[in-house]
Structure formats: structure tokens, C-alpha cells
Amino acid sequence: MDFGTIGAGTIGQGIAGHLVTAGHRVILSNSRGPDTLRDTVARLGPSATAGTVAEAAAAEMVFLAVRWQDIPAALADVAAWDGRILVDTTNQMTGPTPRDHVDLGSETGSEFVARHAPGARVIKAFNTLFAQYIVPDPRHAEGRQLLFHAGDDADAKTDFCALADEIGFAPVDAGSLREGGRLMQVGGGPLSALHALKQN
Ligand SMILES: NC(=O)c1ccc[n+]([C@@H]2O[C@H](COP(=O)([O-])OP(=O)(O)OC[C@H]3O[C@@H](n4cnc5c(N)ncnc54)[C@H](OP(=O)(O)O)[C@@H]3O)[C@@H](O)[C@H]2O)c1
């Protein structure tokens, strides 16, 4: 399987680092173009390359790692998802604290993302963890970092869990994009910012 990131900041680079360590190829992208990511991909290693958003989004599994307000623009250039997996790492926040969360009414943040990526099989993941629990090796002496995720497509979940497990996390299925996504989102979701380890 090949991988892409839309967004190459703290979270995009952190996930790309795990993918490279596990021996996978990953294309990173941002809004300013591949030339601006030359140093970043050099640091990550030879299986990381920089591309356009369209090139990154052509991968079989794509990680969306942009700030909330940038989601519509970041997804606008992707012509068709055709069932590729989009892992939504975002939080509906316009500022640094959960107090800055965006109230979408009855729609969850993950449904908002799915609406902007028609045809993608969306998995919500990584958003419940602070960056310091995402970026380093998630395998600790006391156990592996729990990684909650939600989604509506069973096969996409299977693929995501296999990858999460391979890169060292302990995946935990929180349910559907709607119900699981609600449990995981900022602004009241009980799994948001819940950092825990699984022994083994
Ligand atoms: N940091 C955390 O602790 C944490 C933890 C869990 C989840 N999250 C969530 O993860 C997401 C990313 O957070 P982050 O901390 O990685 O943010 P960040 O460091 O600010 O990175 C955001 C990235 O998005 C890129 N970007 C902006 N507009 C874009 C566009 N139109 N198309 C493509 N790329 C675009 C930015 O690059 P350019 O500006 O150069 O385009 C940058 O590479 C957020 O939604 C955040 O809520 C963050």
C-alpha cells in the first residue's frame, strides 16, 4: 500500500515518520508546493517524497493533517476519491484550546470532512491524541499507545488497524463515523485527549 499526507506540519510529518520507519513510501504535500518540503522529506528519508496535494491524494491511504479552517481548500483539488481511504486527523478547532472548538450542530467533524471528500472511505483517527503521543515511537516499556478510530467501512478499518498495529499503536474501534466520531471529537467527546496505554 502507498501513502500520502495532505498537510505536512507536526502531525503530517509525525505520521510520515512512522510510515518511513516501517519501510513504506509516503508522499507529503502542503499548499505551497513540493519545493517547500525538500528539507522535510530529506530529513524523513529516501522513501518520503514531496508532491502536490493531488499526487499525495492519489495514494491508497491518505492522511488529512491540516488545520480545521484549511480543510475545504485542501480537499478542493482532489478530483475523485474512488474509494481510497482518507484518514481524518483533524480537530474542529480554530484556536489552540478545546474552548475554541467549532459547533457544527448535529454534524460531526468527521462527517464534515467526509462531505468535502465524496467517494472517500473516511476513518477518523489520531485527533484524540496530543502530538507528543503521536510523533514519538508509540511503543513504551509500559505498553502501546491506544489509538481510537471511527469509520463506516469495515474493509477500510481493517486496513487502517493493520497499519496502526504495524507502526506500533494499539488500535481501538470507537464505532461509526457518526457515533464514534462524536465520542472522539473536541467539545465534549469523552475520548478526546484520553491518553492511555495497552499492555503488551
Ligand atoms: N498538533 C497536535 O497536537 C494535534 C494532535 C491531534 C490532531 N491534530 C489536528 O491535526 C491537524 C494538523 O495539525 P498540525 O499540528 O499538524 O498543524 P500544522 O503543524 O499547522 O500543519 C498544518 C499543515 O497543513 C498545511 N496546509 C495548510 N493549508 C493547506 C492546503 N490548502 N492544502 C494542503 N496543505 C495545507 C500546512 O502547510 P502550508 O501552510 O505550507 O500549506 C501545514 O503543513 C489539525 O486539524 C489539528 O487539529 C493536531
Side-chain angles (χ1 to χ4, degrees):
M1 186 174 272
D2 54 348
F3 299 93
T5 76
I6 301 176
T10 305
I11 304 303
Q13 288 183 41
I15 293 170
H18 293 309
L19 295 169
V20 168
T21 299
H24 296 291
R25 282 176 301 142
V26 56
I27 300 176
L28 291 89
S29 71
N30 64 10
S31 70
R32 292 172 297 131
D35 282 351
T36 65
L37 290 169
R38 209 176 294 149
D39 292 346
T40 299
V41 295
R43 196 164 12 85
L44 285 166
S47 59
T49 53
T52 62
V53 168
E55 287 165 346
E60 292 164 280
M61 188 181 290
V62 182
F63 295 85
L64 178 65
V66 301
R67 294 182 183 206
W68 180 255
Q69 55 272 29
D70 295 322
I71 291 171
L75 295 175
D77 286 344
V78 185
W81 282 93
D82 293 330
R84 296 191 306 286
I85 298 170
L86 179 63
V87 180
D88 169 23
T89 75
T90 68
N91 278 308
Q92 60 218 70
M93 294 160 60
T94 53
T97 75
R99 279 195 307 279
D100 306 311
H101 80 273
V102 178
D103 184 355
L104 297 171
S106 64
E107 188 177 46
T108 59
S110 36
E111 290 172 314
F112 175 92
V113 168
R115 187 156 57 78
H116 285 82
R121 292 183 292 157
V122 175
I123 301 279
K124 186 85 182 174
F126 292 103
N127 67 301
T128 61
L129 301 176
F130 296 156
Q132 67 259 38
Y133 299 99
I134 296 174
V135 177
D137 191 334
R139 290 162 281 223
H140 306 282
E142 302 83 5
R144 288 184 296 151
Q145 190 70 51
L146 286 194
L147 184 62
F148 295 107
H149 60 279
D152 294 337
D153 186 285
D155 291 339
K157 273 185 172 171
T158 300
D159 288 349
F160 177 76
C161 284
L163 177 77
D165 189 61
E166 182 188 1
I167 63 177
F169 289 90
V172 177
D173 188 349
S176 67
L177 210 50
R178 184 169 186 77
E179 301 308 331
R182 193 180 302 287
L183 293 172
M184 291 167 60
Q185 72 183 14
V186 288
L191 302 180
S192 177
L194 175 59
H195 300 97
L197 299 176
K198 179 179 186 220
Q199 287 185 334
N200 79 28

